[in-house]
Amino acid sequence: MIPVTAVDVRDAESLVVEVLRSGTLTRGPVVARFEDAFARAAGTAHAVAVSSGTAALRTALEALGLGPGDEVITSPLTAAATLRAVLATGATVRFADITRDDFAVDPDAVAAEITPETRVILPVHLYGQTADMGKLAPLADEHGLHLVEDSAQAVGATFAGRAAGSFGVGCFSLSANKIVTTGEGGVVTTDDAGLADRLRLLRDHRMSELHAAVGIPQLDRLDELLAARRRNARQLSVGLAGTPGLTVPAELPGREHAWHRYSVLIGPHAMLARDELVAELAQRGVETEVHHPKLVFDHDRFREHPQIPAVSRQDFPVALKVTEEVLSLPVHPALSEADVDTVVREVREALGA
C-alpha cells in the first residue's frame, strides 16, 4: 500500500537522546532553539511554542483580548479545532464561503460578513496554499481588525514572497501538519514583541523538549522537504491532467504551495463518485484521505451552538461542493518517482482514462 502520508524523523535520534540524557524534559534550551528556528522559517521576529495547534489558536485569540460579544469571521471548510478555539474565548463565529481554486475564504465573502462586532478575520490556509492575503490583509487594516492565520497546514507556503503566518498572528499545528511534525505541539508567530510576551504568559503548557528535538532537524531540512513535495506534486499534476472528471489542484500566481496535501476534486461526471474511488484505490494499493467531508459547523457538537448564528450548508455552496468532491492523494517526500507513477496510473485507470 502506498501511504497517503509518511514522516521520517530518524535524523532526530541524536538530539532526542541528548534530551533524554540531560534529564530536562520541559522548560529547557531545546524548545528555545526550536522557537528560534521556527521564527526564521516563518519570517517573523517571534515564535512561541505551545502544546498543540488548538492551543496556538486559543492562546493567540486570548492574547488579542477576544471575548464574549466579539465576532470572528472564518472558513466553514476547516478542522473542528479552528472552531473550538474560537468558541473557547466566548466569541461568536461567522462564516464566509471559500473560492474553489485555493480552498480558502473568499475575501469578498469575508467583507460582506463584517459587522460592528467583528474583531478578527481568521483565514485558514488549507492543504498547503495560503488564502488571498493580498486582499485579506488590506481588508483587515481597513476595518481595524486583527488578522489571525490558521496556518496548521501551511508551513513553508508563501504569498508574494512572504511566509504563511507572517501577515498577522500565525497559528501552526505540529500534529495536523505533516511537513514539519513533532507528534504534538503548536506554534504562534508574530512580529509584535508585546504580543509575544502575552503569549508566553498565557500559554498553559509549552512544547516538551522531546517534541522540540524531533522538530529541529525537520526545520533544518525544510527546503529539502518542500522541494520533494513540490517535485511530487508536479509529477502528479502532469500525469493526472486530462483525467475524466478529475480536477488537479492549482498553484496560484504569486503563491508558493507547500503541498501539505495534494487534493484533487472528483466531479459529478467522473466514472466513479469520490467515495467509490476511495474504495477502488484502496484495492489497488493506494491510500487516500478526505479532508474535510463536512462543513465544520455541521458536526453534532456544533449544531445549535449559542455562539454560532443559525447557518445552513446551502449558505456556502462552494465549500459544500468541495466537501463532496475533495480527495487527497499521496505527495509526501518518501515517495519514489515510481510510486508517483503508480498513483497516477491507478487513478487514471480507475476513472477510465
Side-chain angles (χ1 to χ4, degrees):
M1 178 74 75
I2 296 176
V4 73
T5 188
V7 179
D8 184 354
V9 295
R10 288 173 294 181
D11 55 357
E13 182 177 354
S14 61
L15 189 53
V16 168
V17 171
E18 181 181 324
V19 169
L20 292 172
R21 287 175 175 169
S22 75
T24 302
L25 300 183
T26 60
R27 300 178 182 272
V30 179
V31 169
R33 282 177 55 189
F34 178 87
E35 290 176 326
D36 289 344
F38 203 98
R40 288 193 298 273
T44 58
H46 306 277
V48 179
V50 294
S51 58
S52 69
T54 305
L57 284 163
R58 189 190 68 245
T59 306
L61 294 170
E62 289 178 357
L64 293 172
L66 201 72
D70 296 327
E71 290 182 350
V72 176
I73 301 173
T74 192
S75 171
L77 189 70
T78 186
T82 308
L83 194 47
R84 286 201 309 268
V86 177
L87 297 177
T89 69
T92 299
V93 183
R94 299 177 69 87
F95 297 102
D97 206 359
I98 68 170
T99 59
R100 191 175 172 91
D101 53 358
D102 65 8
F103 304 111
V105 284
D106 181 340
D108 292 336
V110 171
E113 292 296 324
I114 294 174
T115 75
E117 287 72 41
T118 304
R119 290 281 310 283
V120 173
I121 297 174
L122 201 168
V124 180
H125 303 317
L126 206 60
Y127 305 142
Q129 185 161 229
T130 70
D132 188 348
M133 304 310 291
K135 293 182 178 179
L136 290 170
L139 181 65
D141 288 341
E142 176 187 349
H143 292 272
L145 305 175
H146 297 295
L147 186 61
V148 177
E149 303 170 63
D150 186 335
S151 304
Q153 299 185 7
V155 175
T158 68
F159 184 98
R162 290 180 59 180
S166 69
F167 290 85
V169 183
C171 299
F172 296 82
S173 169
L174 300 174
S175 56
N177 165 61
K178 303 304 179 187
I179 299 170
V180 174
T181 182
T182 61
E184 289 184 16
V187 181
V188 186
T189 55
T190 180
D191 284 324
D192 185 326
L195 180 62
D197 287 341
R198 290 198 296 278
L199 290 165
R200 294 183 183 103
L201 288 172
L202 285 169
R203 60 182 170 188
D204 293 331
H205 302 284
R206 67 185 68 199
M207 182 185 298
S208 76
E209 292 283 284
L210 285 171
H211 289 108
V214 171
I216 287 171
Q218 294 175 69
L219 287 170
D220 291 342
R221 298 174 52 221
L222 182 58
D223 289 346
E224 173 191 336
L225 296 172
L226 290 170
R229 287 180 175 273
R230 289 167 179 151
R231 181 178 62 248
N232 292 340
R234 284 193 299 270
Q235 188 179 345
L236 286 166
S237 292
V238 170
L240 292 172
T243 302
L246 181 148
T247 302
V248 298
E251 182 172 56
L252 299 177
R255 307 188 210 188
E256 197 167 21
H257 209 307
W259 300 107
H260 172 265
R261 303 283 182 191
Y262 186 89
S263 296
V264 300
L265 296 173
I266 309 301
H269 302 298
M271 179 177 291
L272 298 176
R274 191 266 310 279
D275 293 347
E276 293 173 333
L277 180 59
V278 169
E280 176 66 21
L281 290 176
Q283 291 185 353
R284 292 169 174 261
V286 177
E287 185 182 24
T288 60
E289 287 184 337
V290 177
H291 301 275
H292 300 277
K294 289 185 176 182
L295 299 181
V296 66
F297 58 77
D298 200 29
H299 294 276
D300 290 343
R301 76 189 82 170
F302 299 130
R303 292 195 186 102
E304 301 183 4
H305 195 289
Q307 292 163 245
I308 304 175
V311 290
S312 165
R313 293 184 301 165
Q314 283 67 39
D315 295 334
F316 311 99
V318 181
L320 179 59
K321 194 67 172 174
V322 168
T323 65
E324 297 168 348
E325 297 183 356
V326 72
L327 180 64
S328 295
L329 303 175
V331 74
H332 54 84
L335 296 171
S336 66
E337 185 175 345
D339 289 333
V340 180
D341 283 340
T342 297
V343 173
V344 168
R345 182 182 67 252
E346 298 301 342
V347 171
R348 287 180 61 83
E349 289 183 359
L351 291 177

